[in-house]
Amino acid sequence: MRFDIITLFPAIFDGYLTQGLLSKAIQRDLVEIHRHNLRDWAPPTPHRPVDDKPFGGGPGMLIQVEPTVRCVEAVEASLPGESNRVVLTPQGKRFDQPMAEDFANRDRLLLLCGRYEGFDQRVMDILQPQEVSIGDFVLNGGEVAAMVIIDAVIRLVPGVLGDEQSNIDDSFSRGNRLLEFPQYTRPREFRGHTVPDVLLGGDHAAIARWRAEQSRRRTLQRRRDLLGDPQNLEIDNLEIDLNQTKRNHPKSE
Ligand code: SAM
């Protein structure tokens, strides 16, 4: 999968590209990341400006339509196939796991990172990108948002994770779209906190049942909105069970 990032600050990605799973995926030719400096498409004056004051007044500067459209067109002209344009903006559709899965099915993604007060509206009108937000807060620029998207998407590119099952069981993922069950590793006991017996018994069917129930229980407590139709998930029973647990063990989940 190939990502093209259009940014005024390409160096922000330096550390990110050389660490962890992403750097391994790049080395193994599973993922390509190409950065394009928007300033290279600015008029050839000494300061190479790409921003200007908003018409009608107001604070801050806007990224201009002309260098942005020229940059996108030049990048796309050099590549075959559909580029799947994405503009990072707090005004876009909220990024989530299904969107990450959708992006992971594409061959390419073109990520446009805003700065200042964002892009001139005509960037959206002309390029018709998908507008994507990573949450209801305002960042200084789209670069961190682009990294968030890349990070979530590359986990889903076949071969990037050692074990493909993990991105099925992960929270919000295709397995059940719920929060993941609690996990434990060695030691078996620490300061009186022990690993649940079921995980030590080697009964894989029992472990799967326990994990499914823990996943629903945790989701009910923390993210009820993810559960959908309560009847399908037998939530009523689970809720009764949880109330019972709270009465018996006030500090437990
Ligand atoms: N004036 C804009 C508004 O109110 O919608 C905010 C501009 S913000 C300071 C500058 C850039 O950061 C945006 O153009 C966008 O690329 C990026 N950005 C900020 N918050 C973001 C978010 N929640 N999701 C994605 N990108 C974001």
Side-chain angles (χ1 to χ4, degrees):
M1 174 159 193
R2 173 176 171 134
F3 296 86
D4 287 279
I5 306 166
I6 295 178
T7 169
L8 284 167
F9 296 95
I12 286 180
F13 296 86
D14 284 352
Y16 175 56
L17 292 173
T18 58
Q19 304 291 320
L21 270 183
L22 177 58
S23 115
K24 289 201 185 91
I26 293 170
Q27 280 164 21
R28 291 164 60 211
D29 290 332
L30 297 170
V31 172
E32 279 181 47
I33 311 264
H34 298 265
R35 291 171 279 176
H36 309 275
N37 192 336
L38 183 56
R39 211 168 288 286
D40 293 344
W41 277 266
T45 55
H47 296 301
R48 312 217 67 174
V50 291
D51 56 313
D52 209 334
K53 293 181 206 140
F55 282 120
M61 305 291 271
L62 286 172
I63 300 184
Q64 291 171 289
V65 60
E66 187 172 344
T68 310
V69 169
R70 285 194 195 289
C71 175
V72 169
E73 287 174 347
V75 170
E76 289 182 345
S78 66
L79 296 166
E82 206 189 340
S83 74
N84 300 301
R85 301 164 180 164
V86 171
V87 165
L88 284 322
T89 162
Q91 302 177 25
K93 185 169 179 218
R94 186 91 61 85
F95 184 62
D96 59 11
Q97 194 65 21
M99 197 190 288
E101 288 164 12
D102 174 36
F103 286 164
N105 284 328
R106 324 265 182 110
D107 292 330
R108 289 203 278 125
L109 217 53
L110 181 83
L111 300 168
L112 280 100
C113 305
R115 279 273 153 179
Y116 320 122
E117 291 303 319
F119 291 100
D120 182 309
Q121 175 57 37
R122 289 166 293 181
V123 168
M124 273 59 78
D125 298 343
I126 294 168
L127 297 175
Q128 300 279 308
Q130 200 166 336
E131 295 180 50
V132 176
S133 164
I134 61 160
D136 291 349
F137 42 79
V138 176
L139 303 166
N140 291 324
E143 290 75 13
V144 170
M147 285 189 238
V148 167
I149 290 176
I150 293 168
D151 223 62
V153 171
I154 61 151
R155 291 177 61 75
L156 305 171
V157 171
V160 169
L161 293 184
D163 181 346
E164 300 298 321
Q165 183 66 28
S166 73
N167 68 33
I168 297 171
D169 289 341
D170 275 339
S171 299
F172 316 112
S173 297
R174 287 172 295 148
N176 61 11
R177 299 276 179 221
L178 306 182
L179 302 183
E180 197 182 51
F181 43 82
Q183 304 239 56
Y184 300 83
T185 185
R186 283 186 289 189
R188 288 182 177 206
E189 188 266 328
F190 181 69
R191 294 187 181 168
H193 292 253
T194 53
V195 177
D197 288 341
V198 65
L199 300 178
L200 307 171
D203 179 342
H204 295 294
I207 292 171
R209 277 197 305 278
W210 182 86
R211 285 179 166 167
E213 196 206 324
Q214 291 293 320
S215 170
R216 290 189 297 130
R217 184 185 294 267
R218 185 166 272 201
T219 307
L220 177 63
Q221 289 172 321
R222 300 182 185 184
R223 291 292 305 274
R224 200 187 172 101
D225 58 299
L226 297 174
L227 284 164
D229 183 351
Q231 280 183 343
N232 293 343
L233 290 150
E234 296 165 12
I235 287 306
D236 291 343
N237 291 343
L238 191 58
E239 209 158 13
I240 290 162
D241 186 24
L242 276 171
N243 290 335
Q244 190 82 35
T245 310
K246 273 188 202 144
R247 276 197 297 278
N248 295 343
H249 310 280
K251 282 194 178 159
S252 73
E253 287 198 337

